[in-house]
Amino acid sequence: YFHCLSLLLKNWEMNSTDWIVDSYEEAFAKNIVIVSLGLIINFINGMLMVTFFSNPMFSRDSRYILYIHLVFNDILMICISVTLNVLTYVSPLVNASLCCVLVFLGTTTFMITPLNLAGMAIERFIAICKPLHHSQICTPRRTHIFICLLWVIGAIRSITDVIISLLTQPVSFFRSFIPCYPNYLFPSKSHQYNTIASQVICMSLVWIILIYTYCRVLFTARKADSKGSANKARSTILLHGVQLLLCMLSYITHFMFMITTPFFRLHQTKIIFCVYLFTNILPRLLSPLIYGVQDQKFVKQMKEYFTCNIVIVKIVPS
């Protein structure tokens, strides 16, 4: 999304006559859609988090701990993404320090998502392939340490970008007002190389982990000659694969824009909006539902908890 907007701004600087600006009604409608979807998604994710904390059983299972961390990460990412989207219309120029904080958090949460998926795949691999050691390896304490490690690894790219800026930009830059896009906040070639390297290394590592664990899970399931186990393994592979593909949609945003723009030059802003919607917002809605609905224990607890609360709310006023 940021790359698309930055590319549009560059085109505008090169030839202002080609720049297409949203009308007030169109900009208002887009922001209403984005904010509404953000609130809906975070409401659903909030229900999932309440369900998790309503039953101590979930907090003792590493599988659910990793899952709820993925949900929390999506909540934070949605909040930052929607905020930045609204800022592009409400306040085109933002204080560089504030922009740095928002971009730092947004980039970190974005990097954590595939890493969290890799952790969930490893947990499933241990549970299916090494069931006797699962309770010893995947303890809640070790899972929490692993989550902390995810945040450290996820923040490396952002920390590197900030360090490069501190070395290359004057202090006054962080007091100035700029368009809040990474290409303006981190404009140097070093930042671009850091972005490319971190994304390639991160996604390559995640795919290697997923392919290895999935192959081992399928092999173990077939070897056990258990139809139920094999089906469960295939289901797990399908869910992780779909989730990772949804996550990777954000990596091809720039290329989708470059391919479609030459054919629809009068609808550039609409293309940006649609690409942003389908690559950054909707995947955050599908990912928690895929796992939450698929897990019977989680669905049962959610129904019991919220049904009970609704009944209590209705009884108390009477």
Side-chain angles (χ1 to χ4, degrees), residues 38 61-62 122 127 186 197 243 307:
D61 192 324
S62 58
I122 293 173
F186 307 127
Q243 173 66 1
T307 302

Side-chain angles (χ1 to χ4, degrees), residues 229-244:
S229 179
N231 289 336
K232 187 175 181 180
R234 292 190 186 97
S235 177
T236 303
I237 292 172
L238 179 62
L239 290 176
H240 284 291
V242 169
Q243 173 66 1
L244 189 59

